[in-house]
Each structure stands twice: as structure tokens, then as C-alpha cells.
Amino acid sequence: MSEQTYLKIRNIVGGKEVDPVSGDWIETFDPYLGRPWALIPRCGQADVEAAVAAAHAAFSSGPWSQMKPSQRGKLLRRFAAVMAENAERLAEIEVRDNGKLMAEMSVQCRYAPEWFEYFGGLADKIEGAVIPIDKPEMFNFTKHEPLGVVACIVPWNSPILLLSWKLAAALAAGNTAVIKPSEFASASILELARLFEQAGFPAGVVNTVTGYGNEVGEPLVAHSLVRKVAFTGGEIGGRKVYETAAKHFKGVTLELGGKSPNIVFADANLDNAVKGAISGIFAASGQTCIAGSRLLVQKSIEQEFTQRLVEFAATARMGDPKSLDTQVGPITTQPQYQRVLNYIDIARQEGAKTLLGGGKPDDPALKQGWFVQPTIFCNVRNSMRIAQEEVFGPILSIIPFADDDEAIAIGNDIAYGLAAGVWTSSIARAFKMSDKLQAGTVWVNTYRAVSYMSPFGGYKASGLGRESGQDSIYEFLQTKSVWISFADKVANPFVLR
Ligand code: NAD
């Protein structure tokens, strides 16, 4: 491929567009066409050094370090407005780069600025405390200070939204940032990073490095001037980040994978539950951490519910993600496409029965893209690999249960704990299930709802820490305790009191 044919999208470091030090570029693909459409820089250690140096300089000297929290807040809110003005364009780039539906992305890109608006509002409401200390003639108070340079590492499935969750809070707290998007979908984030200058942010507050996890992600996490890593991604990357951060005593937020139970009771409104089950797994072609990939259905309605579910899911239109009529788009990356198809084989080998889909679509118009049919399996036991491992694709496993206790046991019998759905008309059951399910988010009679106001994060192997909601800003702050003596004399140190 000739490099000239494709658009080169550069990183932003210290307010300037920069080429990779190596001079190497990575092709970024359009998953609908299965073809490259642009090039992104292949960064390494030297690029990390430059980006962290720019972020550190902005943190420790220059206009950002002098700004009062209310000034930072205003800038963040201005950024939210600039981002909203560019929402449609950002959505188009993300659709082309990761194959998400335009129908979803245009809504998502109009909603993502709310994180900057909300955390902008919070920037000047972080208050310390005066401690009624138990010592004579002492005054003790606390203040919350920023950490320094924060690394924001994000995956390919919802680049702009997932970045906004961490970046808005990190900046509101007064930190500066180096962003590392996924090697598979960096384009929309690189475009977003350009908007900070337009909103009036000083150079160096927001910087980007692109490339592979081992080449650029690892040196970024290990860098001594990076004081916090906010990571969203898979289990393998998350573990590596945690290990490296531990070696350097730096804090992490880890937003990892899931294998969420979506539980339908016989007393539920079944029309709603069918829609909730479908949006839980087929939205974004199942490439969401919160995918309700284990559908637990009460035995007494299993047959009726399954039939209604399959009939509805069979109507899903696959096609060009840019078209507003399309309901299921392609898989974002070629390795992920192979992985999803592989899991279909695994499920069949384990004895699962295919009720819908189960492979590549027949439509010749979809042949060039990385499409997998919406697939529903029954005859699944919770111990099977298809029920235990995160597939990250449009694959749903139906698992029957008898009663509340069995639903809770199956729901919790998993390494993950990101989310759970419950469909019931009983308020008592709604409370009981939300109490007993081991998940960072429990939805009752809805699925996939998220907001900048509500904390999001995982139990168990789904992660550490929370994003969104007021408390999440403390993930990016450290508490200082200040002691001031107003005694006239300092006591004799050799006389114990
Ligand atoms: P991934 O872990 O492969 O990559 C995520 C990011 O980490 C990428 O930018 C990658 O380059 C980088 N990375 C990989 N190894 C690294 C290392 N050793 N050091 C530093 N950086 C490294 O994940 P993915 O395949 O891009 O995304 C899919 C995964 O993300 C799924 O498991 C999904 O569940 C998870 N996810 C979680 C949430 C959540 O909020 N909990 C949201 C979306 C996706």
C-alpha cells in the first residue's frame, strides 16, 4: 500500500501535531469494507517521553498549573460545547474507524460532552475538611490535590465515550493527561484531542500517543512521571497494567470485561424483556463490556420466551453502519472477527444448539466486511466456555433456571461482576436480586442505561475503582493533611508528654 493514498492522522503533543519518532505508521481499517482507510502513528518509548514531558510541564508550570478550579471548570464546560458542535463529525469518523452504527454513534457523541459539562461543574466543589483535632493548640485541615500526569488508556469499542468518562474527571481534578487509544480505532480520539486547543486549553494539558500496547502502552504505564493509570480494556492488558503500576506504586482504575447475566422471570412484562435481552447483546454487535451475554430464563416461560426472542432477533437488519436503517454492524477488528467465529465453533463442540445465526451472513453485499450473524444458543450450561468466557460479539447463550435462588447462584457463578439485568414485576424480587447479584451495576426492567451522574465499574475480575458520578473525581486526587501549631512555644523534645 502506498502511504500517500491514505490520510495520516498525527498525534498531538504539547499542542503540536507530531509524527512518530520511528517514522512508522499503522493502517487503520474500515470494518464494513475490511480495508484500510487511514494511517496512525506507530509510537514507542521516545514518543512516550515527549508526551509525558509535555504533560508534566503543563502540570508543573504554565497557565494550567496556575488556574483556579473554577477557571478549569469553565474551560471544561467550553470544551463540552465545542465537542457538541463537532458531534456529528466525530460520530462519522468513529463509525468509519470502528464500524459502530451511525444511529448509535450520533446519539453517543451528542451525549459524551455531558461528562465534560458535569465534571466541569464539579471542579470547584471539591472541598477539604477542618478536623476537630484532639491536640491542644493545633489546627488541622485537609485539601485534595491533583496527582500529576494521568495516562488514559482506552479500547476500540467506544473510544470517545470511554475516554470522556476518565478524561473529564482527571482534568476537572487538575491533572494533565496522556491518552493512549486503541491501535484498532484511534482516529476519532485524535480528532477529539484537536478540539482542546479550540476550546482554549493550554498546550500540553492533553496529549496523545498511538500504537501497540506493548510498544507504547507499557512504557507509558511504567513512566516515573505518570502518577495514575485509568485503563479500560481486557483482562490480559488490565493485569499487565496493574502489575506494572504496582512496581512503580501508582494508582489504577481498571474497567475490564464482563459476562453479565440478564435474568428474565416469569412475572416480567415479556415484550419489554425480549427487547431488553436483544439490546443487551446485539447492540454494537455485542462488543460492549456490559453485554448481557448470558440470558437466564425462568423454566416455566423458557419455550414461549425463546420463541418470541428468536422471532424478534431474526428481524435485525445487517448492513452499512453509516446507514440509519442498519441495526447490526460489523465486528471492529479482524482478530476479533476470527475470535467470535471461533467461539461459535466452541459452543457447538460443547453441545450448544443454534437457534439463530451461527456464522457469517450469506448476503453478498456483506462479504467484504467483518460481519457475524446475531446468534442465539440454547442447551447451554453455565459451566461451558461459551457461558464463562467473554466473547465480545453478537452471541447470546440461553440458560434456564428454576427460582430466585438458582438465578442468583448462576448469575454469580462467574469470574466477572460488571453488570446484571433483572426483568420482573415484583418489587420485592427487584430489591432482593439487586442486593444479591455481585455486579457493579444492576438494571431492573431496563438494560444498558448509563449516565455521567451514576458510578460505573466492576466487581471481581471486572475491575477496580469507579468512573462517573461525583465520587469518581477522587480517583484522580490525593488528600493532604496540613497541621498548623499556634502554640507560642515548641515543647522540649526530650520531655515526653
Ligand atoms: P485491550 O486490553 O486489548 O486493549 C485496551 C487498550 O490497552 C488498548 O489501547 C491497548 O493498546 C492497550 N494495552 C494493551 N496491552 C497493554 C499493556 N500491556 N500496557 C498498556 N496498555 C496496553 O482491550 P480491547 O480488546 O481493546 O477492548 C476490549 C476489552 O475492553 C473487553 O474485554 C471489554 O470488556 C473491555 N471493556 C471494558 C469496559 C468497562 O468499562 N469495563 C468498557 C469497554 C470495554
Side-chain angles (χ1 to χ4, degrees):
M1 184 191 71
S2 143
E3 282 191 5
Q4 280 73 22
T5 324
Y6 296 99
L7 178 71
K8 280 181 169 174
I9 313 176
R10 293 179 168 76
N11 277 303
I12 296 286
V13 173
K16 295 196 174 65
E17 299 218 1
V18 293
D19 283 348
V21 173
S22 66
D24 294 339
W25 297 78
I26 300 171
E27 292 172 344
T28 189
F29 283 74
D30 177 336
Y32 171 57
L33 299 175
R35 285 203 303 258
W37 71 277
L39 298 169
I40 56 154
R42 181 172 178 175
C43 295
Q45 177 83 46
D47 306 270
V48 167
E49 291 296 342
V52 174
H56 183 66
F59 179 74
S60 42
S61 59
W64 181 254
S65 66
Q66 303 299 317
M67 271 184 202
K68 294 287 174 214
S70 42
Q71 292 173 300
R72 285 201 305 267
K74 274 190 189 134
L75 262 187
L76 279 160
R77 293 198 295 277
R78 199 181 303 154
F79 178 77
V82 172
M83 192 176 169
E85 282 161 22
N86 285 275
E88 212 58 24
R89 197 169 59 82
L90 292 168
E92 278 165 17
I93 296 171
E94 199 152 299
V95 168
R96 187 164 192 193
D97 208 28
N98 85 346
K100 281 190 92 137
L101 300 184
M102 192 61 198
E104 183 184 354
M105 279 316 302
S106 60
V107 176
Q108 208 177 83
C109 282
R110 270 183 276 130
Y111 192 46
E114 296 293 344
W115 268 264
F116 293 93
E117 183 77 28
Y118 177 80
F119 283 100
L122 203 53
D124 58 4
K125 293 166 193 69
I126 304 304
E127 297 172 349
V130 173
I131 313 291
I133 206 74
D134 58 340
K135 315 276 178 226
E137 299 181 293
M138 291 277 191
F139 188 77
N140 178 228
F141 68 96
T142 59
K143 55 198 296 238
H144 302 288
E145 297 185 336
L147 299 160
V149 179
V150 173
C152 298
I153 303 180
V154 282
W156 41 261
N157 61 319
S158 271
I160 286 185
L161 187 72
L162 297 173
L163 172 67
S164 301
W165 293 10
K166 42 183 83 9
L167 184 61
L171 297 178
N175 303 286
T176 57
V178 177
I179 300 163
K180 153 72 182 89
S182 165
E183 56 272 36
F184 294 109
S186 293
S188 56
I189 284 182
L190 294 182
E191 202 54 36
L192 184 80
R194 281 159 175 72
L195 301 180
F196 281 94
E197 190 190 3
Q198 202 176 314
F201 271 74
V205 175
V206 174
N207 309 275
T208 60
V209 285
T210 47
Y212 299 111
N214 59 339
E215 293 181 358
V216 67
E218 281 183 30
L220 178 62
V221 174
H223 200 292
S224 59
L225 291 177
V226 169
R227 292 312 312 150
K228 158 97 191 187
V229 184
F231 174 90
T232 301
E235 203 177 319
I236 296 169
R239 183 170 288 116
K240 191 93 197 199
V241 164
Y242 201 14
E243 283 168 0
T244 309
K247 271 189 212 145
H248 300 266
F249 299 110
K250 57 185 78 174
V252 293
T253 314
L254 299 174
E255 296 284 1
L256 307 177
K259 193 76 190 178
S260 300
N262 201 358
I263 306 171
V264 183
F265 285 93
D267 68 0
N269 175 324
L270 296 191
D271 282 343
N272 288 343
V274 163
K275 291 179 199 152
I278 286 177
S279 78
I281 186 67
F282 299 130
S285 298
Q287 301 168 104
T288 68
C289 53
I290 51 180
S293 47
R294 292 185 298 149
L295 185 68
L296 276 52
V297 181
Q298 196 154 21
K299 278 180 185 152
S300 57
I301 54 160
E302 187 186 356
Q303 213 178 352
E304 181 197 350
F305 189 78
T306 302
Q307 192 183 336
R308 286 164 72 164
L309 178 81
V310 171
E311 274 169 19
F312 200 131
T315 67
R317 273 188 306 276
M318 307 185 83
D320 184 347
K322 291 188 283 305
S323 160
L324 293 179
D325 291 340
T326 300
Q327 293 167 331
V328 176
I331 300 297
T332 299
T333 82
Q334 196 162 35
Q336 182 63 17
Y337 175 53
Q338 292 307 331
R339 189 180 140 91
V340 174
L341 292 172
N342 193 30
Y343 267 107
I344 291 176
D345 290 342
I346 291 171
R348 287 187 175 133
Q349 284 156 20
E350 288 180 308
K353 185 175 158 211
T354 317
L355 296 176
L356 183 73
K360 302 174 187 179
D362 299 326
D363 183 352
L366 304 177
K367 281 280 177 271
Q368 53 198 355
W370 302 325
F371 284 91
V372 177
Q373 292 171 315
T375 297
I376 300 179
F377 286 119
C378 66
N379 275 5
V380 176
R381 288 184 314 281
N382 196 51
S383 55
M384 290 179 176
R385 285 185 66 192
I386 195 64
Q388 289 289 317
E389 297 173 17
E390 186 185 45
V391 177
F392 222 59
I395 314 295
L396 182 66
S397 298
I398 300 177
I399 304 170
F401 68 89
D403 55 18
D404 292 19
D405 288 346
E406 198 183 9
I408 293 163
I410 297 173
N412 290 339
D413 181 16
I414 195 85
Y416 299 104
L418 194 57
V422 178
W423 298 86
T424 178
S425 56
S426 155
I427 190 74
R429 179 173 279 142
F431 276 102
K432 178 179 172 185
M433 297 303 287
S434 59
D435 226 26
K436 300 284 180 201
L437 288 167
Q438 296 159 357
T441 295
V442 177
W443 291 294
V444 179
N445 295 333
T446 183
Y447 205 87
R448 293 188 92 224
V450 291
S451 165
Y452 47 89
M453 296 182 206
S454 183
F456 181 88
Y459 279 29
K460 305 197 284 190
S462 290
L464 291 172
R466 294 291 176 270
E467 293 184 334
S468 304
Q470 290 190 33
D471 288 352
S472 71
I473 198 164
Y474 293 99
E475 305 266 358
F476 298 97
L477 289 161
Q478 51 197 339
T479 305
K480 181 176 278 176
S481 175
V482 181
W483 294 75
I484 297 177
S485 168
F486 49 89
D488 288 339
K489 275 193 195 162
V490 172
N492 181 341
F494 294 116
V495 178
L496 295 180
R497 287 175 300 152

